[in-house]
Amino acid sequence: MPSGRNERERSSFHRNSHPNAFPRDTLNESLQDPFKESFRDPFKESFQDPFKESLQDSFNNFLDDYFNHSFRVPVRRPLLSALAALIIAVGVVVFLFPPQIPDLEAWRGSRVTLAGTIRALEPKLEGEDTVWRMTLSDISLSDASLSDSSLTDASPADKSTADTVTTDRMPADTSTGDPSLPDPDAAALSPGKKGLVLCVLDAEPQTDIGARVEVCGTVIPFRSAMNEGEFDVRLYYHILRIDYSLRDVEIMAASKPAGILAPTLFHVRKTADDIIDRCFSQRNAPTIKAILLGEKGLLDEDTKDLYQGAGIIHILSISGLHLSLIGMGLFGLLGKLRLPLPGQNSARRRSKSFISPSGHPRHPGRSIGIRLGTIPLPGRAAVSLAAVFLYGKMAGMGMSAFRALVMLSLYITAKAIGRTYDLLTAAGIAAALLLLDQPLYLLHTGFQFSFCAVLSMGILAPALPGKILKAAAVPLGTLPVYLRAYGTFPLWSLLLNLLVTPLMTVVMPSAGSAVLAEGLFPSGGAFSPAALAAFPAEAVLDLYRFLAELSEKLPLHRLVIGRPSPAQNAVYYA
């Protein structure tokens, strides 16, 4: 049988092997042609001269590009379509069934004793004092397991309540006689499986993250918003799964940490915190801690208001910019290193160290040597992802950090296995993972800012002409979220971010190098390696402050627009 016939039969078999088999190009053309022809028909009789014919060709090319993009993108991104459907479904459920936040006002002022595992520990300024915010997970009220021998006394307090839970209610809470107040029940203070409790301490606790502690404190529930546009503190902490806070906290007993990783990273962060205090000025040290370690609690209100008023407060959050500088910087650095790798070399590349003085191989029959080569791509990817994960966990792994970690992991993995990276699909995976864990993240301003910025880079920026407009894609894409959070818009932030964001590539390496230099070679002094490495970061932060203060003096610095309604946001994004 002729070979040409065999090829035709094989191609026909592959096309018709599945009853629904249909070439993609034919499918797209069948979907596009009716729409395109419906637009082209009115022009068929009217275009007669060459000018009109060229105009018709341009119009037809526009239709081709439009419908190709409209119909082919979902076919090429089935995962993105599924993720978008999941996110929309979660949004509909959250809109139809608003969160029911328990009212714990009846317990305000009560003294309770509970046990939990330290999940986070960080300092925070409250006025002129510094308090420590300790977040507890795995809360236990009825069975605190405090009789375990691993628990040790943390204070000279009376331990008569070691095996039971006590609630010493204030007289005002039981004598009001108000029937509207719920019946006080100890179960109301028991968070769910993933619930957390925020403990505020006056001094730094002598415990590590991961330790099991018994605490006694005064219940202070979070207050909800009373006026339109007011920040809803209770909803904010409910989204973070924090049910209430404890004040005047005493640590009654504490155990050793259950793991190794979390305490080790906590000590690394504390060491870096001390080094930053030594290497940077008192004015810039809190800002460096926020940028490098994610500790925003020590920022004073004047600095936060200055950065927020200038529209550059986003640089103080651990996000994709920070993780990308670390992950991709390490990935590229490892790719340029030439390391001695053992292996078998050919005779033409035999090392001189394996040749005898007479010119004959020392090991006849084989040539073994040490060659200089690069680290394999999977190895570089594994090291980079491990470094990014450890850094994100040390910095607290907030929503923006988790989103950046997932997207960067997908990007590096795609490069390692030779696949194409898609920004929107990666963002969809990150959003789906967050929403599957906590659907209420859709109501969190940080979630909205983070993903609107990514969508602006993936959808709006490619559609805008010119580099200046492309750079303004993120502020334009996040404008409704910014207005809903603050009600105002700093006009000059559009220009300010063109300078501030690129200079972060100077601040991060400079601050990181200073911490490493002081940690490895502690010397001190104005001309020490750490001081010289910290100088660029100090200069850039001083420039940030100067530009932010200058923008406040310019006309039209702050446009008071108000909070847009959901309908106005929909019209804006449409």
Side-chain angles (χ1 to χ4, degrees):
M1 186 177 294
S3 59
R5 183 177 178 182
N6 289 335
E7 293 178 0
R8 288 194 299 270
E9 288 180 354
R10 283 196 300 268
S11 62
S12 176
F13 171 77
H14 286 299
R15 284 198 305 270
N16 301 318
S17 59
H18 193 277
N20 296 328
F22 204 66
R24 179 179 292 179
D25 294 338
T26 308
L27 174 63
N28 285 319
E29 290 176 3
S30 65
L31 292 173
Q32 297 164 16
D33 287 343
F35 293 95
K36 291 191 290 186
E37 294 303 325
S38 65
F39 280 96
R40 288 172 180 158
D41 286 340
F43 297 92
K44 284 184 177 179
E45 302 297 333
S46 59
F47 292 118
Q48 301 295 335
D49 54 78
F51 173 75
K52 291 184 178 180
E53 290 179 358
S54 63
L55 183 62
Q56 183 184 20
D57 292 339
S58 301
F59 183 74
N60 290 340
N61 292 334
F62 165 76
L63 291 178
D64 290 336
D65 293 339
Y66 177 79
F67 285 104
N68 283 341
H69 176 76
S70 299
F71 286 95
R72 290 189 178 185
V73 167
V75 174
R76 293 180 179 179
R77 293 173 173 172
L79 180 58
L80 178 60
S81 302
L83 293 171
L86 173 64
I87 295 171
I88 293 174
V90 172
V92 171
V93 172
V94 172
F95 177 77
L96 295 179
F97 303 98
Q100 301 296 325
I101 307 176
D103 187 5
L104 300 178
E105 283 297 324
W107 283 92
R108 181 178 294 275
S110 303
R111 294 288 294 180
V112 297
T113 303
L114 51 83
T117 303
I118 301 178
R119 180 173 178 176
L121 186 62
E122 62 178 357
K124 181 177 176 58
L125 280 179
E126 287 191 356
E128 297 181 356
D129 300 326
T130 300
V131 298
W132 284 81
R133 295 160 61 91
M134 182 175 66
T135 305
L136 300 182
S137 62
D138 302 326
I139 306 299
S140 177
L141 286 176
S142 59
D143 184 13
S145 301
L146 297 179
S147 60
D148 195 335
S149 59
S150 61
L151 289 173
T152 58
D153 291 345
S155 66
D158 183 15
K159 310 302 293 181
S160 60
T161 60
D163 296 325
T164 59
V165 176
T166 61
T167 57
D168 302 328
R169 296 189 54 80
M170 307 296 286
D173 292 329
T174 56
S175 60
T176 56
D178 188 355
S180 64
L181 292 178
D183 183 25
D185 185 5
L189 295 179
S190 178
K193 183 178 180 181
K194 296 183 178 181
L196 307 173
V197 172
L198 177 63
C199 301
V200 181
L201 296 91
D202 296 331
E204 179 181 1
Q206 302 302 315
T207 55
D208 289 329
I209 292 180
R212 185 80 177 170
V213 296
E214 176 198 1
V215 298
C216 179
T218 303
V219 177
I220 304 294
F222 302 110
R223 297 187 181 275
S224 59
M226 305 298 293
N227 302 313
E228 180 68 23
E230 182 182 357
F231 180 69
D232 197 335
V233 179
R234 189 166 68 165
L235 176 61
Y236 171 79
Y237 282 105
H238 181 71
I239 295 174
L240 299 180
R241 293 195 171 97
I242 299 178
D243 291 351
Y244 55 91
S245 65
L246 293 180
R247 293 274 180 166
D248 302 326
V249 176
E250 298 179 10
I251 299 180
M252 314 295 291
S255 69
K256 294 182 179 180
I260 299 176
L261 180 60
T264 302
L265 294 177
F266 177 67
H267 284 290
V268 170
R269 192 177 71 173
K270 287 183 63 176
T271 302
D273 195 281
D274 296 336
I275 292 175
I276 290 174
D277 287 332
R278 297 198 303 265
C279 295
F280 292 89
S281 63
Q282 186 176 1
R283 185 175 68 170
N284 290 331
T287 308
I288 292 294
K289 292 179 183 178
I291 293 175
L292 200 62
L293 305 178
E295 290 186 0
K296 295 186 289 185
L298 296 178
L299 285 171
D300 58 88
E301 292 297 329
D302 293 337
T303 301
K304 288 191 288 187
D305 292 341
L306 181 64
Y307 276 70
Q308 178 185 324
I312 58 175
I313 197 170
H314 59 88
I315 66 174
L316 301 179
S317 300
I318 303 296
S319 61
L321 177 63
H322 302 70
L323 296 184
S324 297
L325 288 174
I326 295 175
M328 295 310 300
L330 183 59
F331 186 79
L333 178 63
L334 294 177
K336 295 181 179 180
L337 291 178
R338 296 295 184 267
L339 300 178
L341 301 176
Q344 294 184 352
N345 296 336
S346 63
R348 289 175 298 179
R349 292 190 292 178
R350 186 180 296 131
S351 175
K352 292 183 179 180
S353 60
F354 289 87
I355 304 297
S356 64
S358 60
H360 298 286
R362 294 180 178 178
H363 302 280
R366 60 175 181 169
S367 66
I368 302 177
I370 302 296
R371 59 186 177 89
L372 294 179
T374 59
I375 301 177
L377 195 60
R380 287 151 47 194
V383 173
S384 302
L385 292 179
V388 171
F389 171 77
L390 294 176
Y391 174 75
K393 189 171 181 61
M394 182 191 68
M397 198 63 75
M399 278 183 293
S400 297
F402 180 82
R403 188 266 307 163
L405 175 62
V406 171
M407 297 183 65
L408 185 62
S409 301
L410 293 173
Y411 177 78
I412 295 178
T413 304
K415 290 184 70 69
I417 64 177
R419 300 297 297 269
T420 302
Y421 172 78
D422 184 67
L423 177 70
L424 297 180
T425 302
I429 294 174
L433 292 175
L434 285 171
L435 294 179
L436 288 176
D437 178 64
Q438 173 59 292
L440 296 181
Y441 280 149
L442 276 176
L443 305 178
H444 196 282
T445 306
F447 180 92
Q448 298 169 6
F449 264 117
S450 183
F451 285 95
C452 283
V454 174
L455 293 178
S456 301
M457 291 186 289
I459 298 177
L460 184 59
L464 295 176
K467 295 183 178 180
I468 296 180
L469 289 180
K470 289 181 182 296
V474 173
L476 293 176
T478 57
L479 178 60
V481 182
Y482 196 95
L483 292 178
R484 186 160 184 82
Y486 303 112
T488 63
F489 180 71
L491 182 62
W492 297 108
S493 65
L494 297 174
L495 296 177
L496 197 58
N497 278 285
L498 297 179
L499 179 62
V500 167
T501 304
L503 286 178
M504 284 297 294
T505 58
V506 177
V507 176
M508 286 284 292
S510 173
S513 300
V515 172
L516 288 177
E518 183 65 19
L520 297 176
F521 311 104
S523 57
F527 297 99
S528 63
L532 296 177
F535 177 77
E538 289 268 16
V540 172
L541 291 183
D542 291 338
L543 178 63
Y544 284 175
R545 184 176 293 272
F546 170 76
L547 294 176
E549 293 174 350
L550 179 63
S551 66
E552 288 187 340
K553 301 176 182 179
L554 296 177
L556 302 178
H557 160 63
R558 183 174 299 174
L559 301 180
V560 181
I561 302 175
R563 304 177 71 228
S565 63
Q568 291 173 327
N569 289 336
V571 171
Y572 178 85
Y573 284 118

